[in-house]
Amino acid sequence: MARLSVVRFGLVAGLVVLAAGAVVLGAASPWWWFLAAPLLALAATGVYDVTQRRHSVLRNYPVLGHLRFLLESLRPEMQQYFVERNFDGRPYDRDVRSIVYQRAKGTAAEEPFGTERDVYAEGYEFLVPSLAPVPVPEHAPRVRVGGPDCAKPYEMALLNVSAMSFGSLSGNAILALNQGAARGGFAHDTGEGGLSEHHLRGGGDLIWEIGTGYFGCRTSEGDFDPSAFAGKAAHDAVKCVSLKLSQGAKPGMGGVLPGTKVNAEIARVREVPRGETVVSPPYHRVFSTPRELVRFIARMRELAGGKPTGFKLCVGSRAQVLAVCKAMLAEGVTPDFIVVDGAEGGTGAAPLEFADHLGTPLTEGLHTVHNALIGTGLRDRIRLGASGKVATGADVVKRLIQGADYTNAARAMMFAVGCIQSQRCHTNKCPVGVATQDPRRGRALDVRDKTERVRRYQEATVASAMRIMAAMGVSDPAELSPRLLRRRVDARTVLSYAEWYDWLEPGQLLAEPPLGWAQEWAAADPDRFA
C-alpha cells in the first residue's frame, strides 16, 4: 500500500504542477502542453490501472506495474543475449546456433581455447577417433531409398530439409529452402500443409508429406482423395511420398492453423475455406489397424507410380512398432523408408505438456525402430531417416551410428534462412520473416541470399560429418558401429553404445525373442494398435 500511495501522490503532484504551469505559462502556451501531455497520459494510465479488474498487479501498482509486463516481454531476448552461456541455452545453445550461422555464411566455424563443455559430466557423449584415420572421400555418399516394390528409387543425401509446411513458414522461407535444396542436391520435405507454388518454383527434390488433414489431396468432407493424390504425386519434383503418423513436438495430437493465417493462398494450397481455422485430426481416417496402415502404404506407392513411399512417427509403445512389423510380414508389404522423429523435435506451436513430457526421444526411438526391423528381418528393405535436433556434423554421425541411414533437419535449416530463435513462431510476428504469413514481415527475407545460405550450410555440415568419420578411420557410413560412440554413465564409468544398449541379431524376434523384448513381441497384434 505504501507503493500505491507513492504512485497516487506522484499523480496528484503532477496535476498540481500542471495547474501551476497553467497559471504561470497560460494554458494555451505550447510549453504548457509540452509539459502536460506526458503527465496527462500517465494520469489517465493510472486511473485506468486502478479501475480495471483484469490485472491485480496494475490495481496495486498503477503505472509502475507496466514495467513488469515490459520486462517479461523482453525476457527471452535478455536471456539469450546476456544471461545464458554458450553451451547451455535451450532449445539450441549459442554454440550450435553460431556454427549454423557461420556455415551458412561461408565463414570459419572454429573456436579457440578448447571446449567449454564438462567432459566429465554424466551423459556426456563422444565419438572414438582412430590412430589410423583415412582420407576424406571426395564425394559424400548417398543413400538409395527404394525397396523391392519401388519402381523409382531415390538417392537421398545424408542431410535434408525436414518437414515444415507452407503456412507455418512464409512463402519466401519455403522458396529459399527449396532453391537451396535444388542447388545443393538434397531433399526438401514439404510438411503436411500441401504442395504450394513455393515448393515447386525452386526446382528442388520434394518429399510430399501427407498428414491427417490430407491437405492437397482431400475431399470436401476431409477424406483422402486418391485421384487428387495421384495427380500431384506424378509431378516430376515429387521424388518420395510420406505419410505422417505423428510428430515429435506433439505426438498423438492434430495440428491447428488459426483462421487469421488462412489467407487465400493457403486456403487454395490446403483446399480449405479461407479465413476458417484448420484443424488436423489426431488420427487417420483411412486406416485403424497396423495391417490397414501397411495396406494403405502399398496403395499410396501404387497411386504415386512406384515412387518411394514411407511414413514418419514419434515412437511411443514398442509393442505398437512391433505390431506394424508383424503386419508387414503378414501382408508381404514394406514401406521404402521410415522417418523417426524424436520428442525433442520442434514445431511452430505445441502445448508445453506435449513438448516436455510426451513421446520418445530420438536416441531411444531410433534404437527401437532399428532393432525391431533387424529382429524381424526387414531392415535391409527399409531405409531409416532421423529427425530431431540434428544440426552439426557430429549430430549426423551419431544418428548414423544409432541406426539411421540419413538425417533431416528443420530448425537448423530455419537458422540457415535467418531464424534468430525468438520463439514467436506461433504469433505470426516472426521478426525475420521466416515463420509468418504477414507479407510485410515475409518480405524481409531475401530469397537469393538465403538460398545460398541453405546450400552452404548443408554442404558444410555434410563435409564436417565426412571429416569426422575419416578421423574415426571410417570412409563409408556402413562401417560405423555402436562401439564408436561412448557415453559417460557416471564419474568413473564410460560405456560404448554397443554396451549401453541391447542390439538384436537379424531375425532374432522371429526365432527366439530375448527376454527384454519377449513380452512386447507377444503383445504385438497386427490387427489392433491397442
Side-chain angles (χ1 to χ4, degrees), residues 120-140:
Y120 295 98
E122 182 178 333
Y124 177 77
E125 294 184 345
F126 60 94
L127 299 163
V128 178
S130 173
L131 290 178
V134 299
V136 180
E138 185 176 347
H139 301 289

Side-chain angles (χ1 to χ4, degrees), residues 169-446:
L169 300 192
S170 68
N172 278 352
I174 293 292
L175 181 57
L177 290 169
N178 191 258
Q179 290 184 163
R183 296 184 188 183
F186 51 97
H188 177 193
D189 192 310
T190 66
E192 65 173 309
L195 278 172
S196 72
E197 63 175 279
H198 310 290
H199 289 106
L200 298 171
R201 279 171 54 197
D205 292 344
L206 294 174
I207 302 169
W208 183 22
E209 183 177 282
I210 308 300
T212 57
Y214 309 118
F215 299 123
C217 57
R218 59 188 268 137
T219 66
S220 57
E221 292 79 25
D223 291 315
F224 177 72
D225 185 335
S227 60
F229 172 80
K232 291 179 180 177
H235 198 288
D236 288 342
V238 176
K239 303 301 182 182
C240 307
V241 290
S242 177
L243 185 70
K244 190 188 91 167
L245 304 184
S246 60
Q247 67 183 90
K250 46 185 177 182
M253 177 183 174
V256 177
L257 186 65
T260 54
K261 296 184 73 173
V262 184
N263 57 30
E265 185 177 18
I266 291 176
R268 183 174 65 255
V269 170
R270 297 199 177 201
E271 299 176 349
V272 296
R274 178 180 180 179
E276 294 185 14
T277 296
V278 180
V279 179
S280 302
Y283 53 85
H284 279 274
R285 298 187 183 189
V286 290
F287 62 86
S288 59
T289 69
R291 193 185 299 272
E292 290 173 356
L293 163 62
V294 170
R295 290 172 178 169
F296 185 67
I297 291 293
R299 185 185 184 200
M300 286 179 64
R301 183 164 48 216
E302 181 182 0
L303 291 170
K307 293 181 179 181
T309 305
F311 61 83
K312 180 180 82 172
L313 82 162
C314 176
V315 174
S317 162
R318 188 162 69 176
Q320 290 185 339
V321 173
L322 293 174
V324 174
C325 291
K326 283 187 173 181
M328 294 177 194
L329 292 169
E331 294 295 319
V333 172
T334 53
D336 300 297
F337 63 89
I338 298 173
V339 176
V340 181
D341 201 14
E344 64 269 51
T347 181
L352 183 64
E353 298 93 333
F354 275 72
D356 283 354
H357 304 293
L358 208 63
T360 304
L362 182 55
T363 296
E364 287 74 21
L366 192 56
H367 180 267
T368 295
V369 177
H370 173 68
N371 276 275
L373 295 176
I374 289 277
T376 52
L378 298 171
R379 185 63 179 88
D380 61 337
R381 299 163 61 109
I382 302 169
R383 297 292 170 259
L384 280 187
S387 61
K389 293 194 79 171
V390 175
T392 69
D395 295 333
V396 173
V397 176
K398 284 182 180 181
R399 298 314 179 186
L400 296 181
I401 286 174
Q402 291 166 356
D405 295 298
Y406 63 92
T407 62
N408 297 330
R411 286 171 291 180
M413 292 291 181
M414 289 173 66
F415 291 145
V417 293
C419 169
I420 60 173
Q421 195 171 278
S422 67
Q423 296 179 268
R424 295 179 181 174
C425 311
H426 60 299
T427 67
N428 207 31
K429 296 181 180 179
C430 172
V432 292
V434 176
T436 181
Q437 293 306 310
D438 183 331
R440 181 181 61 82
R441 291 176 180 270
R443 280 196 297 270
L445 193 153
D446 183 77

